[in-house]
Amino acid sequence: MKAWRLQSAGGPFALEDVPVPKTRPGAVLVRMQAAPVLSYMGDVVAGRLSATYRFPGRPFTPGTNGVGTVTDVGAEVYHVKPGQRVVLNPHFVANEVTGDPAQMLIGLTAISPDSGPLQADWPDGAFAEYALMPASVLTPLNADIALPPERLAIFGKFAVPFGGLTEIGLSAGETLIVNGASGYFGSAAVLLGIAMGAARVIAAGRDAGRLAEVVAAAGSRAVAVALGGDPAKDIAALREASGGGAHAAIDLVGRATDASATLAALRALRRGGRLALMGSMTAPLTLAYGEVMVNDWTIRGRFMYPRDAIARLMAMAMSGVLNVSAVNIGLHALADLPAAMQAAAKMRGLDAVVLKM
């Protein structure tokens, strides 16, 4: 089969001929059909993020989410069958009875300090014609789901904000602020907030043009607020747009070096409001103890999403409440991954870049 192989962070990266993986207990072999390309994948491969992303100790195939068809299953796999289409979730957590199980993102990075052995067993991701995956990271699709592979491959764009919105218990009829709404995951969070029944979703960010596109796709219950960087003005604009204060907010800013927008979203919450932190901001989030206490705020960090997120999102999409067709997908062949990574680095809002095998 053909597979992209990275020797090490910043090292040689090439499409190679390699053996098709053999199944083993707990494993499922998937013939890949499509895989999304993260906006920062080029930086990951080039080694520019090596302080954050930890790779296997040998050459490996990158690539996180995706969709494909099962061709073989190993022993101790009970529900996934050959011939089924499945969606890949890269977040793999050791299935053992322990307080803090090892976890990793397959095809991207180790996470917990003890995830080295986990990563050694499952080093390879989705940028290949075949992928060997643990059964627990696969969501089988019903045969009547007629979405094309490239559309199925981008459900991870929605799954990440779904993790945050379920973590803070977004309820129908509430008002939601999405900070970073002009970004990859933030734009999806706006559509998702509408799908989950929010009475109003405030799409907040600095790119007014992209915010307008996202709000147009979301419909009449969404409103854009372009942030200018003046904390007092941004808080006032968000509070006005949310009718005096929002019930909930989700922060999805990517690699921000300034916490002002995140703090504006927090301070635009009403008493008892909840904030989910799911971005990758590098600046400290400085808060006064008394301010949090007096306002009864709940601030929750959330990494990734529940194991059943893809199935739940699929049901929302097939029922028509989640508008996945609003995502603008740019397609590339597997061999064109370098060009796809360049295109992904330029993604904004509802854009997505997908490899189609």
Side-chain angles (χ1 to χ4, degrees):
M1 71 171 187
K2 297 286 187 182
W4 283 93
R5 304 292 288 174
L6 180 64
Q7 301 300 308
S8 61
F13 185 49
L15 185 63
E16 300 178 3
D17 291 307
V18 298
V20 175
K22 296 184 182 299
T23 53
R24 59 179 190 261
V28 176
L29 185 64
V30 179
R31 177 62 169 94
M32 295 300 299
Q33 296 174 332
V37 181
L38 297 171
S39 63
Y40 52 89
M41 184 58 74
D43 288 337
V44 170
V45 168
R48 289 188 284 269
L49 301 177
S50 57
T52 304
Y53 292 89
R54 294 176 289 153
F55 297 161
R58 63 171 180 79
F60 77 106
T61 296
T64 52
N65 303 78
V67 62
T69 300
V70 175
T71 61
D72 192 23
V73 300
E76 302 174 15
V77 176
Y78 306 105
H79 299 288
V80 181
K81 307 296 181 185
Q84 284 183 317
R85 281 202 303 174
V86 291
V87 175
L88 282 60
N89 161 27
H91 188 206
F92 181 45
V93 181
N95 186 23
E96 298 177 17
V97 181
T98 178
D100 189 13
Q103 56 178 318
M104 63 173 290
L105 292 177
I106 298 174
L108 187 63
T109 183
I111 299 173
S112 58
D114 58 347
S115 58
L118 200 69
Q119 192 178 49
D121 282 344
W122 303 99
D124 297 320
F127 294 160
E129 292 179 326
Y130 287 85
L132 188 69
M133 291 284 148
S136 63
V137 304
L138 301 177
T139 300
L141 301 176
N142 294 332
D144 61 350
I145 294 177
L147 293 174
E150 61 269 23
R151 193 63 58 184
L152 293 168
I154 54 91
F155 268 79
K157 182 179 177 75
F158 294 92
V160 168
F162 183 76
L165 294 180
T166 54
E167 185 73 22
I168 58 174
L170 179 67
S171 298
E174 291 190 318
T175 300
L176 170 70
I177 296 172
V178 177
N179 186 40
S182 57
Y184 184 79
F185 292 115
S187 59
V190 175
L191 301 182
L192 188 57
I194 295 295
M196 294 174 69
R200 179 174 294 182
V201 177
I202 294 88
R206 301 190 188 277
D207 188 333
R210 289 292 180 172
L211 291 176
E213 294 175 4
V214 173
V215 166
S220 60
R221 284 157 41 216
V223 59
V225 173
L227 303 177
D230 183 311
K233 290 182 179 179
D234 288 343
I235 294 167
L238 291 170
R239 292 189 70 87
E240 180 181 1
S242 59
H247 300 89
I250 184 168
D251 187 90
L252 289 154
V253 294
R255 290 188 275 175
T257 58
D258 177 2
S260 62
T262 303
L263 290 171
L266 174 64
R267 289 171 175 145
L269 295 176
R270 62 181 62 193
R271 184 184 302 279
R274 299 101 64 200
L275 170 66
L277 298 177
M278 296 199 74
S280 54
M281 184 171 64
T282 58
L285 189 64
T286 305
L287 289 168
Y289 186 105
E291 183 182 18
V292 176
M293 179 188 68
V294 167
N295 284 288
D296 296 325
W297 286 330
T298 297
I299 302 171
R300 297 292 297 269
R302 172 71 195 202
F303 183 73
M304 301 299 285
Y305 40 86
R307 287 176 60 176
D308 65 347
I310 298 296
R312 293 166 67 181
L313 290 166
M314 197 67 61
M316 294 167 69
M318 298 313 294
S319 69
V321 297
L322 178 60
N323 182 17
V324 295
S325 64
V327 178
N328 309 308
I329 300 175
L331 289 176
H332 293 260
L334 178 63
D336 294 333
L337 177 57
M341 292 191 297
Q342 291 180 356
K346 300 175 183 177
M347 291 188 301
R348 297 293 183 273
L350 291 169
D351 295 341
V353 172
V354 174
L355 295 182
K356 195 168 183 181
M357 285 62 161

